[in-house]
Amino acid sequence: MSHNYNDLISVFNTTFLESYNTKLILGGDEPIYLPADDKHRHHRIIFARGYFASGLHEIAHWCIAGPQRRLLEDYGYWYEPDGRTEAVQAEFEKVEIKPQAIEWILAASCGFAFSVSCDNLSGDCEPDRVGFTAKVREQVFIYLSNGIPDRAKLLSDALREHYGIAPLTQACFPELVL
């Protein structure tokens, strides 16, 4: 199955441009969320380099950010760049569980392969990819049981329709084994 970022942009913008004044935009090297301002009518989710996975990841953050956070650049979240210590990496992973669970749900809604992002290539510790994936998977199952957040659910449904994907079940989220 082909995954063109233009399809992701089209489905997202059709779903949310009017209702949330938010558009998905192809960007350069770094992803960022920018709220509407004097020069831009729309809130902008800008994903990196045309990578489909980057688009899904940035959308996932938007899907769980509350109304006040969506008025702040990058939702007002902290971001410690690559090169984190083990303690900082653990904090990073803690706050990334929910957005990466949403990202996995969106990826499955497209038939797109998902891989967690530990995002610490030059850090002083080797992230536990299997352990982090298990935590993200557990959160996916919580969402499937208790309800996917509204915006994520709307987009999941639209993406499943676009790509012809059946309703999601736990079987769509396999355990990572190395």
Side-chain angles (χ1 to χ4, degrees), residues 64 93-105 114 116 131-149 170 173:
I64 64 169
E93 289 179 9
K94 219 186 304 183
V95 299
E96 279 289 311
I97 289 171
K98 286 184 177 180
Q100 291 203 32
I102 296 296
E103 179 184 351
W104 198 349
I105 288 167
F114 171 80
V116 295
F132 184 46
T133 301
K135 291 174 186 173
V136 171
R137 184 173 181 252
E138 183 179 318
Q139 182 62 52
V140 167
F141 291 169
I142 291 168
Y143 283 143
L144 291 177
S145 295
N146 299 341
I148 298 169
Q170 288 188 357
F173 305 92

Side-chain angles (χ1 to χ4, degrees), residues 55-137:
L56 291 174
H57 184 80
E58 297 312 311
I59 290 167
H61 278 284
W62 179 81
C63 283
I64 64 169
Q68 291 306 114
R69 289 255 186 214
R70 293 193 311 270
L71 297 176
L72 304 172
E73 182 175 317
D74 262 351
Y75 317 105
Y77 293 133
W78 67 274
Y79 180 75
E80 181 89 19
D82 189 7
R84 294 183 285 275
T85 64
E86 189 171 347
V88 174
Q89 180 65 21
E91 286 302 308
F92 169 82
E93 289 179 9
K94 219 186 304 183
V95 299
E96 279 289 311
I97 289 171
K98 286 184 177 180
Q100 291 203 32
I102 296 296
E103 179 184 351
W104 198 349
I105 288 167
L106 297 177
S109 301
C110 302
F112 186 76
F114 171 80
S115 179
V116 295
S117 174
C118 295
D119 204 20
N120 198 27
L121 300 175
S122 64
D124 69 358
C125 63
E126 181 63 33
D128 177 5
R129 182 170 292 282
V130 173
F132 184 46
T133 301
K135 291 174 186 173
V136 171
R137 184 173 181 252

Side-chain angles (χ1 to χ4, degrees), residues 17 36 41 51 75 90 162 169:
L17 184 57
R41 296 181 10 184
Y51 295 139
Y75 317 105
H162 179 83
T169 66

